[in-house]
Amino acid sequence: MEAPSPTRTAADLSRAARRQWIVFALALLSIAIAALYAAGIYGRSAALSALEEQGHADAGLKVALLRAVLERPRALPFLLSRDRDVTEALAGPDPARRAFLDRKLEELVAGTSAAVIYVIDTKGVAISASNWREPTSFVGNDYSFRAYFSRAMKDGTAEHFALGSVSKRPGLYISHRIGPAAAPLGVVVVKMEFDQLERDWHETQRPSYIVDADHVVLITSIPSWRFMTTEPLPAENLAAIRESLQFGEAPLTPLPFERTADGLLRAVQPGGGAETYLRITAPVVSTPWQFEYLVPVAGTVATGMREAQLLALIAIGAITIAAAIWLRRRQTSLANAARDQAARDELERRVVERTMDLSLARDRLQVEIAEHRETETKLQSVQQDLVQANRLAILGQVAAGVAHEINQPLATIRAYADNSKVFLARSRPEPVLENLGLIADLTDRIATITEDLKALARKGRSGEEPVVLQEVIDGAIMLLRSRFTGRLERLIIAPMPQDLAVLGNRLRLEQVFINLFQNALEAVADRADGRVDVSIAVTDGDVAISVADNGPGISSAILGSLFEPFNTSKEKGLGLGLVIAKDIVSDYGGRLEVETDAGGACFRVHLRKVLP
């Protein structure tokens, strides 16, 4: 603290204080603007990440439902191609046999999810159809120009999505050749329509659609988008599609989509204005199709930005209060020092001029001493407040640790809940009851994790018991499956004895391997050849489980304090996972080791073996 000069008056100190408060206010305003801007960017990014994660989960469920709808009728053309009634009807123009086949196909349609079933001779003419009673019957129509006919005659089977030339209804045509390739008798065709699936998609109020390899919309929750394109078609492709009459007279014009600078999509729905969406894509296995799902972002992004900016304002408010208290205390100290100096000068002057005024000066000094004591009392009170604030900060860190550890069980609970909705919609209560049981187990797991974090603070320890190691590994993988969908094949686990048991607690040991597997999978996420190898080494009384990845390894700056709290290299990490893992292993008489180089990192968990 600077000492006031003898000539520095109270007016000088007052002017200096006003300048300091002006500078403080300007600095606070600049910091607040910058913090709100940064919080808005962070809130938007976090909201988009959450939307993308949820969108991929929803898209996966919708694609699974589509695949289930597709698989049911695919075997029907194959079975009918070997049906005796079909081959006899194609063998000769017998009206009785063909009439019998008409009725048989009509009964099959009523018992399956197919829209129409019909049989075509080698010339491409339909000789029998399930809709033989209807005015738009396919019987007698020439379908030799259809790709599903020519490809089935050539290759034996074909699938082709097109607009019906008679019914004018879109659908997927699944065909199979009847007879050998050297002497074909004809082709049997099953047409599927997706009206119910499109209605189910429409109820979600979010645009969902299927596009083929040419980016033409085939199946959609918005009927007016059908046979439009998500990308402009090259002229030669457009001409070939129109010539084949695959989509009738559809104009095949591009959809009203516009990509934004930040990678989002601006789209106009029928009867509405333009809205910004996050486009989620997923391939439809066993088909050349791609599922696309548009998730609106405006409301979620606005909420995320508001929440982030509110937190920023709270933090700025706390910093402002602390800074204002410090600045006020500093100004008060300078003012007190100035007053002390003035009092001493006055005392010296009065000693020289009037000895009789010593008693009065003494009284004034006593008053000033009392003021100093009062100031010290206030300082002690402020220090106690700072201690309490530090305790609250530690409490916040512990809460962050709880959030870090229960993230995986919560994600798994969400996946089971979403699956249960699908099973309830299909009137299948047995899997729902099973999922509810698993969800109850996971809530117990979360309670255990909470108790484990308390034990981290007080170095406590839960009871140990024999635990089958294979069950611990399987439990950890189950909790990671929802987060690392499509990437768990990188986790390669060596075989282990089924009865191999170690001493510990199953839920706590699962926490250890969840942390190790998750860290390893994240380390190889950006590598095309990334892999994580899990191996077991068993000795007389020790079981060593190694988790090795071929990622970039651990930097030397972090390695020295790897097992210290809040030390992490992840942008959003808390630095608590490995601390908790090491404490859990130590609680049961084991140890956690790490080795790393440029070729990756290897964590080795040593646990006590249960002897027979």
Side-chain angles (χ1 to χ4, degrees):
M1 183 181 297
E2 62 178 348
S5 65
T7 59
R8 197 169 187 183
T9 64
D12 295 333
L13 290 175
S14 178
R15 284 192 296 271
R18 284 196 298 270
R19 286 194 299 270
Q20 290 172 354
W21 284 113
I22 291 173
V23 172
F24 177 79
L26 292 175
L28 177 62
L29 179 61
S30 301
I31 293 172
I33 293 173
L36 290 177
Y37 178 75
I41 294 176
Y42 170 79
R44 175 183 175 83
S45 175
L48 288 176
S49 297
L51 275 178
E52 184 175 7
E53 182 177 352
Q54 181 60 44
H56 279 296
D58 294 344
L61 291 176
K62 292 180 183 294
V63 170
L65 178 60
L66 174 62
R67 289 186 60 194
V69 172
L70 286 174
E71 291 303 324
R72 284 198 298 269
R74 277 181 167 169
L76 193 55
F78 172 78
L79 296 175
L80 287 174
S81 68
R82 285 156 174 74
D83 188 90
R84 182 177 179 181
D85 294 330
V86 174
T87 57
E88 289 180 351
L90 287 169
D94 187 343
R97 287 181 176 177
R98 293 186 176 182
F100 176 77
L101 182 58
D102 286 337
R103 291 190 295 274
K104 182 174 183 176
L105 296 180
E106 184 179 29
E107 292 176 358
L108 282 175
V109 164
T112 66
S113 59
V116 184
I117 306 173
Y118 53 105
V119 178
I120 304 173
D121 63 16
T122 55
K123 296 180 181 179
V125 177
I127 65 159
S128 183
S130 61
N131 61 355
W132 63 279
R133 298 179 187 272
E134 301 175 10
T136 57
S137 171
F138 291 180
V139 177
N141 291 329
D142 186 355
Y143 295 102
S144 59
F145 68 97
R146 284 297 197 182
Y148 59 79
F149 171 75
S150 59
R151 289 210 303 266
M153 289 291 287
K154 178 182 177 182
D155 302 328
T157 184
E159 291 186 4
H160 184 65
F161 195 99
L163 184 68
S165 59
V166 176
S167 64
K168 303 301 179 184
R169 292 179 58 81
L172 177 64
Y173 295 84
I174 307 173
S175 57
H176 199 285
R177 184 180 62 223
I178 304 169
L185 298 176
V187 173
V188 60
V189 184
V190 174
K191 181 182 179 183
M192 290 180 58
E193 295 179 357
F194 301 91
D195 295 348
Q196 182 59 47
L197 182 66
E198 290 180 334
R199 285 193 293 270
D200 293 341
W201 286 358
H202 182 73
E203 290 177 359
T204 64
Q205 302 297 317
R206 292 182 175 181
S208 307
Y209 53 90
I210 295 290
V211 296
D212 63 8
D214 291 319
H215 305 287
V216 178
V217 177
L218 306 179
I219 307 169
T220 173
S221 62
I222 302 178
S224 61
W225 286 7
R226 194 187 319 278
F227 300 150
M228 298 182 75
T229 65
T230 58
E231 302 286 346
L233 282 174
E236 58 273 16
N237 292 11
L238 181 61
I241 293 174
R242 286 180 173 168
E243 183 178 355
S244 69
L245 299 178
Q246 180 180 0
F247 304 121
E249 300 298 326
L252 301 175
T253 55
L255 284 165
F257 288 175
E258 179 185 356
R259 295 183 183 273
T260 62
D262 53 0
L264 299 177
L265 190 72
R266 292 279 293 174
V268 180
Q269 289 200 44
E275 190 171 351
T276 303
Y277 295 92
L278 176 66
R279 177 155 65 178
I280 305 295
T281 62
V284 182
V285 179
S286 77
T287 73
W289 299 347
Q290 179 172 274
F291 175 75
E292 298 192 2
Y293 186 46
L294 302 187
V295 183
V297 303
T300 304
V301 167
T303 301
M305 292 178 65
R306 283 197 301 269
E307 291 177 353
Q309 289 172 342
L310 178 60
L311 291 175
L313 284 176
I314 293 174
I316 292 172
I319 294 172
T320 300
I321 293 173
I325 291 174
W326 175 84
L327 182 59
R328 180 59 181 169
R329 286 176 53 199
R330 183 176 184 277
Q331 292 175 351
T332 301
S333 297
L334 290 174
N336 289 340
R339 284 197 299 269
D340 291 343
Q341 185 65 37
R344 285 193 295 271
D345 294 342
E346 181 68 15
L347 180 59
E348 291 175 1
R349 184 181 66 83
R350 291 191 177 187
V351 167
V352 174
E353 294 181 354
R354 293 180 300 173
T355 305
M356 296 300 295
D357 293 336
L358 286 175
S359 59
L360 181 59
R362 182 193 58 195
D363 294 340
R364 290 179 178 177
L365 287 175
Q366 289 176 348
V367 171
E368 291 171 359
I369 291 171
E371 291 177 353
H372 284 306
R373 290 176 179 172
E374 182 180 359
T375 301
E376 290 175 354
T377 302
K378 291 180 180 179
L379 176 59
Q380 293 175 355
S381 176
V382 172
Q383 289 174 340
Q384 292 174 357
D385 292 341
L386 290 176
V387 170
Q388 180 63 19
N390 185 53
R391 291 174 181 170
L392 293 176
I394 293 173
L395 180 59
Q397 292 171 343
V398 173
V402 173
H404 172 82
E405 286 301 317
I406 69 175
N407 180 51
Q408 289 298 336
L410 285 178
T412 307
I413 288 174
R414 178 59 186 269
Y416 282 137
D418 290 343
N419 289 339
S420 298
K421 292 180 181 178
V422 175
F423 286 130
L424 285 176
R426 297 177 182 176
S427 300
R428 294 177 59 188
E430 294 82 5
V432 174
L433 292 175
E434 182 181 354
N435 286 351
L436 290 176
L438 293 171
I439 290 173
D441 293 341
L442 289 171
T443 57
D444 293 338
R445 184 185 304 275
I446 292 172
T448 301
I449 290 172
T450 305
E451 291 300 320
D452 287 342
L453 287 174
K454 293 179 181 178
L456 175 66
R458 61 176 181 264
K459 298 296 181 184
R461 174 180 178 181
S462 59
E464 62 184 28
E465 60 185 3
V467 179
V468 178
L469 185 59
Q470 183 67 57
E471 295 178 356
V472 173
I473 300 296
D474 292 343
I477 293 175
M478 180 192 71
L479 289 176
L480 289 171
R481 184 170 290 113
S482 62
R483 177 172 179 183
F484 293 94
T485 300
R487 290 186 284 165
L488 279 181
E489 68 273 6
R490 297 187 173 193
L491 188 63
I492 302 171
I493 301 176
M496 67 182 72
Q498 292 297 320
D499 57 348
L500 179 61
V502 297
L503 289 175
N505 177 273
R506 175 178 172 180
L507 295 182
R508 299 191 75 203
L509 292 180
E510 283 182 7
Q511 287 180 250
V512 174
F513 290 105
I514 286 171
N515 272 296
L516 297 181
F517 292 167
Q518 175 177 300
N519 290 344
L521 289 171
E522 290 176 348
V524 301
D526 295 330
R527 296 180 63 96
D529 60 342
R531 60 181 287 157
V532 178
D533 292 298
V534 181
S535 58
I536 312 294
V538 183
T539 59
D540 291 341
D542 179 80
V543 178
I545 306 96
S546 299
V547 181
D549 64 74
N550 62 345
I554 304 171
S555 68
S556 57
I558 296 176
L559 185 62
S561 55
L562 187 63
F563 296 102
E564 295 179 6
F566 311 112
N567 175 53
T568 179
S569 61
K570 300 179 184 177
E571 181 178 354
K572 298 183 179 179
L574 295 174
L576 292 175
L578 290 177
V579 177
I580 294 174
K582 183 176 182 181
D583 282 357
I584 291 174
V585 173
S586 299
D587 281 347
Y588 300 118
R591 65 186 187 277
L592 178 59
E593 302 171 344
V594 60
E595 298 175 359
T596 183
D597 55 24
C602 176
F603 286 83
R604 188 169 292 106
V605 180
H606 291 270
L607 296 171
R608 289 184 294 158
K609 179 182 175 183
V610 176
L611 301 177

